[in-house]
C-alpha cells in the first residue's frame, strides 16, 4: 500500500463515559479511513482524516443502483494495554468475494488489514473497556460515478468508520425469539446472498417489521425457491443441536458465510463435538422438536457472537426450545470465542491479531 497520509483531528470529541450503557452504532470516533479508486489508476490516496460528512453528487451511482458492499468486525481490549482484532484476514477475503459479485474492484487483502489496523490504532483510546464492550469497525465501499446509466462505476470510495459499542447482552446471555418467515425471502442461489451488501438488508426490512410487531427480535429465512430449507437469521448464521449433533445449513450461494459460523465449526471439529453442514428443512426441525431431539438453537455473528434462541414461531405455532434457557454448547462456544477475542483463552487456531 502507498503510505497512509494522516491528518489528525484538531477537535477531538468527548469519549463516552465508562460504566454507562453504549448504544449500538450511534457514536463515532475522531477519525476515519478513506481511499479512492479510479478505473485505470487503481486504488490511491489512502488517508486517515477527521471523522466527518462527505459530499457526493446526487447522481452518484450508489444512490440509484446500490452498488456497494460492507464488512463488520470488532477491536477488543485485552489484558493490560493490548488491542486485538479477530480474524481480520477473513473479512479481507470476504470483501473481495463481495466485490467480485458486485463488479467492484478488488483490494489487496494486506491493504485492507493494514487500513483497519492503522485507523484502530489512531483511535485506540476510543475502545471501551467495560466487560463485553468493543469497538465496532465498519469498512465499506460505494460507487461514486456521477451517471444514471446502469453499468459498473469507474470510481469508488473505500471507507472505514469506527463506533464504540456496548455489551450485546447487558445482563448475560439472553435467549431470543425468532420468526420463521414463509412469505418473503432474502436471497436466491445465483443472487447475491453470499455477499455482504446493502441490498440484502433493504429487502429484509419488511419481514423484520412483521416479526418485530409480533414481538420477535429476528427473522429466520427459508430458501428462496421452495421456502422449505433453512438458510440463516437476519444478520446471523443459525445452528441447531439435534440429538447431540451440531447442524448448520451448508453454504449454497444464498447464505452469508459468517466468520463466527466458521469459528464455531472449527472449534467443534477440533474438540470432538459432532457437527454437520447440510441442508436442513423446516419440517425436519419441527419433527426434531416434537420428538424432543432439538436440544439447542443458536445464532452466530460478530455482533452477539453466540445468540441463544429460546423460542421459534412457524406459521401459527410457537415452539419453546429446551427449557427456554441457554444451552450448554451455546454457552461453551460463547465463552471460548469471546475468550480468544479478549486474550483470556489460548489462541489455538491463530485467530487473534494484535493491533
Ligand atoms: C455479517 C452477516 C452474518 C454474520 O457474519 P459474521 O462474519 O459471523 O459476523 C450473517 N448473516 C448475514 C446476512 C450477515 O450480513
Amino acid at each position: 500500500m502507498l503510505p497512509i497520509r494522516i491528518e489528525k483531528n484538531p477537535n477531538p470529541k468527548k469519549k463516552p463515559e465508562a460504566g454507562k450503557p453504549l448504544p449500538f452504532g450511534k457514536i463515532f470516533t475522531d477519525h476515519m479511513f478513506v481511499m479512492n479508486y479510479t478505473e485505470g489508476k487503481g486504488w490511491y490516496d489512502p488517508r486517515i482524516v477527521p471523522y466527518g460528512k462527505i459530499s457526493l453528487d446526487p447522481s452518484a451511482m450508489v444512490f440509484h443502483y446500490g452498488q456497494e458492499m460492507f464488512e463488520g468486525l470488532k477491536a477488543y481490549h485485552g489484558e493490560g494495554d493490548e488491542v486485538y482484532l479477530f480474524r481480520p484476514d477473513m473479512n479481507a477475503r470476504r470483501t473481495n468475494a463481495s466485490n467480485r459479485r458486485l463488479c467492484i474492484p478488488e483490494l489487496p487483502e494486506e491493504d485492507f488489514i493494514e487500513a483497519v489496523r492503522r485507523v484502530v490504532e489512531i483511535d485506540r483510546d476510543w475502545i471501551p473497556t467495560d466487560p463485553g464492550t468493543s469497538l465496532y469497525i465498519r469498512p465499506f465501499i460505494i460507487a461514486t460515478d456521477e451517471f444514471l446509466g446502469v453499468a459498473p462505476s469507474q470510481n469508488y470510495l473505500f471507507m472505514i468508520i469506527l463506533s464504540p459499542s456496548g455489551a450485546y447482552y447487558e445482563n448475560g446471555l439472553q435467549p431470543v425469539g425468532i420468526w420463521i418467515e414463509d412469505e418473503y425471502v432474502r436471497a436466491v442461489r445465483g443472487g447475491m446472498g453470499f455477499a455482504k451488501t446493502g441490498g440484502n438488508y433493504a429487502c429484509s426490512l419488511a419481514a423484520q417489521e412483521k416479526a418485530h410487531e409480533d414481538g420477535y427480535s429476528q427473522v429466520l429465512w427459508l430458501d428462496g425457491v421452495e421456502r422449505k430449507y433453512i438458510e440463516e437469521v437476519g444478520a446471523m448464521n443459525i445452528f441447531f443441536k439435534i440429538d447431540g449433533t451440531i447442524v448448520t445449513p451448508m453454504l449454497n450461494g444464498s447464505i452469508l458465510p459468517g466468520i463466527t459460523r466458521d469459528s464455531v465449526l472449527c472449534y467443534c471439529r477440533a474438540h470432538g463435538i459432532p457437527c454437520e453442514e447440510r441442508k436442513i428443512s423446516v419440517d425436519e426441525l419441527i419433527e426434531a422438536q416434537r420428538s424432543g431431539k432439538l436440544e439447542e438453537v443458536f445464532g452466530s455473528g460478530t455482533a452477539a457472537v453466540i445468540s441463544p434462541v429460546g423460542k421459534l414461531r412457524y406459521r401459527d405455532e410457537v415452539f419453546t426450545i429446551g427449557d427456554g434457557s441457554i444451552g450448554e454448547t451455546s454457552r461453551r462456544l460463547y465463552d471460548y470465542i469471546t475468550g480468544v477475542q479478549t486474550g483470556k483463552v489460548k489462541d489455538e487456531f491463530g485467530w487473534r491479531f494484535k493491533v
Side-chain angles (χ1 to χ4, degrees):
M1 187 186 303
L2 303 167
I4 300 178
R5 178 162 66 80
I6 292 175
E7 187 190 322
K8 281 265 186 169
N9 192 330
N11 301 307
K13 289 174 283 202
K14 198 165 162 287
K15 296 180 182 66
E17 262 176 69
K20 297 244 173 83
L22 276 168
F24 173 76
K26 289 194 172 163
I27 300 169
F28 299 96
T29 64
D30 289 323
H31 298 89
M32 60 186 187
F33 176 89
V34 188
M35 179 160 71
N36 296 76
Y37 178 93
T38 295
E39 193 65 40
K41 187 168 173 184
W43 291 103
Y44 65 96
D45 197 15
R47 55 204 185 269
I48 292 171
V49 294
Y51 183 91
K53 305 221 186 303
I54 57 170
S55 169
L56 290 174
D57 196 88
S59 68
M61 280 181 136
V62 63
F63 297 139
H64 305 277
Y65 309 120
Q67 198 193 5
E68 75 95 40
M69 63 72 57
F70 68 91
E71 268 299 327
L73 67 162
K74 287 175 167 181
Y76 309 85
H77 249 297
E79 310 284 313
D81 206 29
E82 304 283 9
V83 170
Y84 302 116
L85 302 172
F86 183 72
R87 312 187 72 186
D89 51 316
M90 296 286 281
N91 298 94
R93 201 191 306 167
R94 190 168 64 190
T95 292
N96 282 334
S98 299
N99 287 7
R100 283 191 293 273
R101 179 64 184 83
L102 288 146
C103 297
I104 296 172
E106 292 184 42
L107 273 168
E109 290 176 19
E110 55 286 3
D111 291 359
F112 175 97
I113 298 170
E114 181 64 3
V116 169
R117 193 186 72 74
R118 292 290 296 282
V119 71
V120 167
E121 194 174 42
I122 282 185
D123 277 338
R124 63 182 288 147
D125 292 346
W126 279 88
I127 307 174
T129 51
D130 289 338
T133 62
S134 57
L135 184 71
Y136 185 77
I137 306 167
R138 167 54 58 84
F140 63 102
I141 303 175
I142 55 174
T144 58
D145 271 15
E146 300 170 3
F147 178 45
L148 295 183
V150 178
S153 183
Q154 307 214 327
N155 292 278
Y156 298 86
L157 266 184
F158 171 43
M159 304 183 67
I160 304 172
I161 58 175
L162 308 171
S163 176
S165 66
Y168 196 87
Y169 300 105
E170 295 272 342
N171 310 304
L173 279 182
Q174 299 282 339
V176 297
I178 284 193
W179 168 291
I180 304 178
E181 175 58 47
D182 65 347
E183 179 193 352
Y184 296 115
V185 299
R186 170 185 174 272
V188 291
R189 257 166 293 156
M192 58 183 190
F194 67 88
K196 231 171 155 69
T197 181
N200 288 332
Y201 279 79
C203 88
S204 75
L205 297 174
Q208 186 181 300
E209 287 284 278
K210 221 168 72 172
H212 283 180
E213 273 165 31
D214 237 51
Y216 290 81
S217 68
Q218 305 247 9
V219 171
L220 178 64
W221 299 103
L222 300 180
D223 76 278
V225 178
E226 297 178 73
R227 291 178 213 172
K228 182 174 166 194
Y229 296 99
I230 290 164
E231 299 242 303
E232 62 170 306
V233 190
M236 295 194 290
N237 295 108
I238 189 85
F239 287 85
F240 307 99
K241 186 177 174 189
I242 302 174
D243 206 10
T245 298
I246 300 291
V247 181
T248 194
M250 63 198 278
L251 299 178
N252 60 359
S254 57
I255 296 174
L256 197 292
I259 295 163
T260 321
R261 174 187 182 278
D262 183 76
S263 307
V264 166
L265 291 170
C266 279
Y267 180 85
C268 289
R269 286 182 187 129
H271 290 265
I273 302 172
C275 64
E276 294 171 356
E277 291 176 83
R278 61 173 172 85
K279 279 174 112 164
I280 171 164
S281 68
V282 70
D283 293 340
E284 176 186 344
L285 184 70
I286 287 168
E287 179 48 38
Q289 164 73 11
R290 292 204 205 283
S291 62
K293 289 187 174 152
L294 181 60
E295 294 159 347
E296 293 182 42
V297 180
F298 58 92
S300 72
T302 295
V305 185
I306 298 294
S307 184
V309 176
K311 199 168 77 166
L312 284 172
R313 174 209 168 273
Y314 182 58
R315 300 195 170 141
D316 294 326
E317 283 189 276
V318 178
F319 303 96
T320 300
I321 313 305
D323 59 5
S325 69
I326 294 137
E328 155 216 351
T329 309
S330 312
R331 159 68 57 190
R332 180 170 164 194
L333 288 161
Y334 179 81
D335 289 346
Y336 179 77
I337 297 173
T338 55
V340 172
Q341 289 167 338
T342 54
K344 292 191 186 75
V345 163
K346 187 169 157 271
D347 181 20
E348 63 191 284
F349 305 102
W351 288 341
R352 199 151 58 216
F353 180 98
K354 212 165 121 189
V355 170

